[in-house]
Amino acid sequence: MNTTVHLAQQAEADELLGRSALAALVGMLLDQQIPMEWAFAGPYTIAQRLGRTDLDAHEIAAYEPDAFAELLSTKPAVHRYPGSMAHRVQQLCQYLVENYDGEASAVWADADTGVELLKRLQALPGFGKQKAQIFLALLGKQYGVTPKGWREAAGGYGEAGSHRSVADITGPESLAKVRAHKQEAKRAAKAAKAAKES
């Protein structure tokens, strides 16, 4: 895996995301309730604090849980909820160790179809359908992982030219477009909820 991405909007963090399948997966896992670029900078911060140049699923899976939570909690914290996210990152790594010998890219390496890959992603701890679809779109749009039917399996996130998710971020301009789309979606959801209640 070696690609150029601009998900964290920080050179060192993006360089790691471009070459490390596990970093990309962990970034996606962290992407909830915090700004996208903060989430995707997380894997680089974790690697730095471990004194490594990459993340290792075996090392993280075996790490003492309280010590790992402390690692993510140290200021500046890796996430708004560093304790619970530390637990989730460890669960993800334990799953990868048990099912893929710790090799994150094995999740998608031999997937023949988008549907099969979506199933594999949804089986990962912390990956619901939406997160799995967004990551599938990210793999297809930016990492060159394009099994048959990947766009369809990714739903709206797989559409070419859309600005719906992190899968569409290639720089500051597209980040602004994705933010605007998310804010509009939130506004629409609020309006729909208000209309239902009135």
Side-chain angles (χ1 to χ4, degrees):
M1 203 160 121
N2 212 343
T3 191
T4 302
V5 295
H6 301 280
L7 307 175
Q9 308 278 305
Q10 289 174 28
E12 300 92 342
D14 281 327
E15 188 275 330
L16 175 61
L17 292 166
R19 68 178 160 82
S20 169
L22 181 55
L25 264 183
V26 169
M28 189 73 231
L29 180 68
L30 294 172
D31 185 19
Q32 84 188 45
Q33 298 181 307
I34 59 172
M36 290 172 278
E37 57 278 37
W38 180 10
F40 281 91
Y44 177 74
T45 305
I46 296 169
Q48 289 281 289
R49 291 179 183 174
L50 288 169
R52 307 279 183 261
T53 57
D54 196 357
L55 300 179
D56 181 316
H58 292 274
E59 179 182 19
I60 293 171
Y63 217 86
E64 200 284 311
D66 290 340
F68 192 67
E70 181 62 34
L71 193 88
L72 270 68
S73 302
T74 302
K75 288 192 164 62
V78 168
H79 195 276
R80 180 181 291 155
Y81 304 109
S84 62
M85 291 316 280
H87 178 64
R88 286 186 176 195
V89 171
Q90 285 198 288
Q91 278 184 317
L92 174 64
C93 289
Q94 285 156 359
Y95 182 88
L96 291 171
V97 167
E98 288 164 19
N99 295 277
Y100 296 100
D101 197 27
E103 192 49 63
S105 62
V107 175
W108 53 84
D110 61 352
D112 292 323
T113 66
V115 171
E116 182 187 347
L117 179 47
L118 182 63
K119 272 190 191 149
R120 289 184 188 186
L121 291 170
Q122 282 186 259
L124 297 173
F127 278 70
K129 184 175 182 184
Q130 185 182 33
K131 193 177 282 285
Q133 285 187 312
I134 292 171
F135 194 74
L136 175 53
L138 177 62
L139 287 172
K141 290 179 176 184
Q142 299 200 40
Y143 288 92
V145 177
T146 55
K148 187 177 177 213
W150 72 271
R151 283 191 190 273
E152 294 77 9
Y157 302 107
E159 285 174 16
S162 65
H163 289 95
R164 293 172 191 244
S165 73
V166 70
D168 304 305
I169 296 173
T170 53
E173 194 180 304
S174 52
L175 172 62
K177 286 181 181 175
V178 169
R179 277 236 161 83
H181 173 81
K182 286 190 166 200
Q183 284 164 349
E184 186 49 47
K186 270 187 190 166
R187 263 197 301 274
K190 262 188 187 167
K193 188 178 176 190
K196 217 179 204 177
E197 290 169 356
S198 62

